[in-house]
Amino acid sequence: MRSVGTLTRADLAESINRKLGLSRAESLDLVESILAKMCDAMSDGENVKISGFGTFLLRDKKERVGRNPKTGVEVPITPRRVMTFRASQKLKERVMAG
């Protein structure tokens, strides 16, 4: 697996700045607004689907019994909500093509 850098909010804002000609502050505000909208939707229990990119899915897990692998002692795992990401077919194809 090859090592790659990390895409940041600042990188997204810079790209918007270059492509749309918005100021750096406006570009960063736009990125922050989009991310805030996504966070608010997920906080309200909504899934977030971005066509051609993927879907952020929320799932509620029930309480279950787990086992400490080192000691073998059973412990209860509390119910919780988890978030997963399912990439769209287009994203998968694009990433796998290199």
Side-chain angles (χ1 to χ4, degrees):
M1 186 176 231
R2 67 181 181 205
S3 176
V4 293
T6 302
L7 180 68
T8 65
R9 291 173 181 198
D11 295 333
L12 292 172
E14 178 64 26
S15 181
I16 291 169
N17 170 261
R18 276 188 269 112
K19 291 189 184 211
L20 299 181
L22 297 176
S23 72
R24 290 185 194 278
E26 290 171 324
S27 299
L28 192 53
D29 284 346
L30 181 59
V31 170
E32 293 297 335
S33 294
I34 292 168
L35 294 175
K37 179 68 175 167
M38 291 172 63
C39 289
D40 290 345
M42 286 185 275
S43 293
D44 292 340
E46 296 179 57
N47 294 325
V48 174
K49 180 176 184 175
I50 301 173
S51 215
F53 183 72
T55 306
F56 294 91
L57 297 164
L58 295 172
R59 230 175 43 167
D60 290 318
K61 290 189 157 192
K62 296 179 180 178
E63 184 172 351
R64 62 188 175 91
V65 175
R67 187 170 286 117
N68 181 329
K70 197 171 190 178
T71 63
V73 174
E74 290 186 352
V75 292
I77 299 174
T78 58
R80 64 199 184 283
R81 176 172 280 171
V82 295
M83 181 178 57
T84 59
F85 176 75
R86 184 178 304 150
S88 73
Q89 194 59 40
K90 285 182 182 179
L91 178 61
K92 288 179 187 177
E93 289 168 0
R94 189 167 178 179
V95 169
M96 296 306 169

